[in-house]
Amino acid sequence: MRTFVAAAEAGRFQDAAAELSVTQQAVSKRIAALEKALGVRLFTRTARGARLTVDGQAFLPHARDLLRSAARAVGSVRPGRRALRVDVIGRRLAPAGLLGDFRKAHPEVELDVVTLFDADAAVDAIRSGTIDASFRAVTMPGRQLPDDIRAVRAFDEPLQLLTGPGHPLAAARAVTPAQLAGQRIWMPGIVAGTEWAAYYDDLAAAFGLTIEVTGPDFGTEPLLDTLAGSGSLATFVGEQTRLVWPADHGLRRIAVRDPAPVYPHSLLWHRGNPHPALAVLRDHLRSGRHAVSAAGSWTPAWA
Amino acid sequence: MRTFVAAAEAGRFQDAAAELSVTQQAVSKRIAALEKALGVRLFTRTARGARLTVDGQAFLPHARDLLRSAARAVGSVRPGRRALRVDVIGRRLAPAGLLGDFRKAHPEVELDVVTLFDADAAVDAIRSGTIDASFRAVTMPGRQLPDDIRAVRAFDEPLQLLTGPGHPLAAARAVTPAQLAGQRIWMPGIVAGTEWAAYYDDLAAAFGLTIEVTGPDFGTEPLLDTLAGSGSLATFVGEQTRLVWPADHGLRRIAVRDPAPVYPHSLLWHRGNPHPALAVLRDHLRSGRHAVSAAGSWTPAWA
DNA sequence: TGCCCGCACAACCGCCGGTTGTGGCCCGGC
DNA sequence: GCCGGGCCACAACCGGCGGTTGTGCGGGCA
């Protein structure tokens, strides 16, 4: 591909060969091999060089795109000056959406999103320089952040109740946490010891809820299927969580108010991290309308 | 890259090897070679398979992107079911911008834009199936379209006058063609015998203009430089033409009215072309607000 | 603790992709 | 019209890349 682009730009195989530090014959063989693989002729050979055919013209922007893609791929892991790397809890949760907004607002910033196992791994990765920042709960009960880690409360995300159409609360426009006492709240896939488990433990204790965090995580589709078919099960989802409906199950998202439980997303980073894009991200968080803890909301005491 | 993605998805080199119909050792060597080339470790090898490192997680979406890019590249020249291929006169002129809008409105359509030498080549390419459609002047004086070519007037693009700050008309908000009689209009790079030359010939004859189409085309930058430094030269540009200012030269774009010369862009295609995206493009042209010949505009008699 | 699964290393080898050498074609100049 | 030069294709050659088979090793799990 690189040879093709070089030849297209130079207009002559010989110049492309010089550019790539190979012989003209090597360029000729490379182009011939590419043409054979594609089944079309990319250049018309003349006595004064090689000009693109129509197929070649159509192919050229795709070839450039592929080279750009390859450069971005290398740039994402290049030691030293790699792209900004941010850890999020889940790809479909609010932090991931926020990073999507950030990407749109700053398309020039190379950004990679990863998901680490837990908050401890995230802190370790931040300290070792493996990642640049992490969206996690700022503090866990009984845990203390190391001195070299900085954190800001980035934004709070209200929780909503997700139920099937047969649930007793399905028709409600909003519910209070007190109304949920006694209801079965099912949160499979929550690993004990993580900040999510701590959050839901506190939430359950504060309002007398029954939250089942047991059970393996089979993915969202089976969860949604089960919810849709159950008349008694419900689960919590973040307000900004984007679900992919496998089909229309008649699922209902119901606001929770008085007080509204909100999940406190925070941004963690290393004190001495010099990555220029990190400052851009922090500015974006500050300048955006990422409201923090409106009145009438609930967060755990440790947040 | 394909091996990396397969291994990341499978979680085990052996399964990826089966998927790719090679041995496990080959996959191991490929991954090792990629890691060596990148200078980072992409997988952590365990007794139960291979899991992505943080670097590997960051790399994975870029690898997928590269594979998609490669598939698009192949798709652009795949004989039979290739992407929709449309010829435009110039990459910075209105038809190219229109196709950009079309791309945004229909991101699912694979679209390639090419530029053929002249209208005859475009018609030949349409008849031979090399391209699917062409934005060209629908008819040339004295020429007749073949029976198997369909054409619709797609949209008319008003011309503007482009001058430097020292030009006598630089301060005008609008001019009439009659005012331009005697002024030097410079249109380098227009090849005699093309529809552009015919258009400007007719325009010059209709209003007594002096249009110099001679001279080779050195690109837009030298043209803009010359215009900016000249107190007497001017040129025509399409209203929707996007110029790249090399620097702020104080260039002025001045509307032309009473009547407004408009360039009649048309879409040409082959009667029997079954490409599904071609119908989408034609629908897009019909449904959009691509006004044709408003009152008070001028076009050549042959349009 | 022993088995077994899964990846790495070693040795081997075919062929891919580079080189040098040469031929042919097209265009421009004399 | 012939000659010359520039540019690409073809041929022959060869080293090493990338595949194979065979084997070693380490870490879970019974």
Side-chain angles (χ1 to χ4, degrees), chain B residues 43-302:
Chain B
F43 289 95
T44 56
R45 280 75 165 173
T46 75
R48 294 244 286 252
R51 253 209 294 263
L52 285 174
T53 62
V54 176
D55 280 316
Q57 276 194 52
F59 193 68
L60 180 57
H62 296 285
R64 288 192 214 272
D65 186 59
L66 187 127
L67 294 185
R68 275 193 297 270
S69 184
R72 278 196 303 271
V74 172
S76 70
V77 295
R78 181 174 38 212
R81 294 179 180 176
R82 60 163 170 69
L84 188 71
R85 197 176 284 174
V86 182
D87 156 70
V88 297
I89 299 188
R91 294 300 173 100
R92 287 180 184 151
L93 302 184
L98 182 67
L99 287 176
D101 296 343
F102 174 67
R103 219 190 279 267
K104 277 180 194 165
H106 297 275
E108 80 285 359
V109 171
E110 301 268 323
L111 172 68
D112 290 309
V113 178
V114 298
T115 297
L116 298 180
F117 182 68
D118 60 14
D120 287 339
V123 169
D124 289 347
I126 289 173
R127 302 187 80 183
S128 71
T130 309
I131 65 174
D132 300 303
S134 172
F135 278 103
R136 297 276 170 174
V138 60
T139 48
M140 290 264 292
R143 302 265 176 112
Q144 189 78 20
L145 280 177
D147 283 348
D148 52 353
I149 300 291
R150 292 276 176 276
V152 292
R153 182 88 159 260
F155 64 103
D156 290 353
E157 184 184 20
L159 296 187
Q160 294 182 330
L161 195 70
L162 187 69
T163 74
H167 194 276
L169 294 171
R173 301 205 55 184
V175 297
T176 66
Q179 285 180 272
L180 297 176
Q183 301 282 349
R184 289 179 65 202
I185 309 286
W186 190 44
M187 302 288 305
I190 301 283
V191 177
T194 65
E195 73 248 48
W196 282 89
Y199 180 85
Y200 285 115
D201 281 351
D202 265 37
L203 182 62
F207 298 100
L209 311 184
T210 308
I211 298 184
E212 305 173 20
V213 299
T214 55
D217 185 8
F218 293 119
T220 54
E221 281 80 5
L223 169 62
L224 297 182
D225 283 345
T226 307
L227 278 180
S230 164
S232 62
L233 278 179
T235 192
F236 283 122
V237 293
E239 186 183 75
Q240 297 175 36
T241 301
R242 293 177 187 269
L243 299 171
V244 270
W245 263 219
D248 186 37
H249 286 331
L251 293 172
R252 311 291 163 85
R253 299 178 82 137
I254 303 160
V256 185
R257 301 201 189 120
D258 303 318
V262 298
Y263 191 85
H265 296 286
S266 298
L267 185 74
L268 279 64
W269 71 95
H270 193 276
R271 192 181 52 191
N273 189 321
H275 202 303
L278 180 58
V280 179
L281 174 59
R282 289 172 49 203
D283 285 347
H284 179 78
L285 288 180
R286 261 199 300 277
S287 65
R289 294 177 215 84
H290 313 295
V292 168
S293 62
S297 66
W298 176 92
T299 51
W302 45 264

Side-chain angles (χ1 to χ4, degrees), chain A residues 124-213:
Chain A
D124 288 347
I126 289 173
R127 300 186 81 183
S128 71
T130 309
I131 65 173
D132 300 303
S134 172
F135 278 102
R136 295 278 170 174
V138 60
T139 48
M140 290 265 292
R143 301 266 175 110
Q144 189 78 21
L145 279 177
D147 283 348
D148 53 352
I149 300 292
R150 292 275 176 276
V152 293
R153 183 88 160 261
F155 64 102
D156 290 353
E157 184 184 20
L159 296 188
Q160 294 182 329
L161 195 69
L162 188 68
T163 74
H167 195 276
L169 294 171
R173 301 206 55 185
V175 298
T176 66
Q179 285 181 273
L180 297 176
Q183 301 282 348
R184 287 181 66 202
I185 309 285
W186 191 44
M187 302 290 305
I190 300 284
V191 178
T194 65
E195 73 250 48
W196 282 88
Y199 180 86
Y200 285 113
D201 282 351
D202 266 36
L203 183 61
F207 298 100
L209 311 186
T210 307
I211 299 184
E212 304 173 22
V213 300

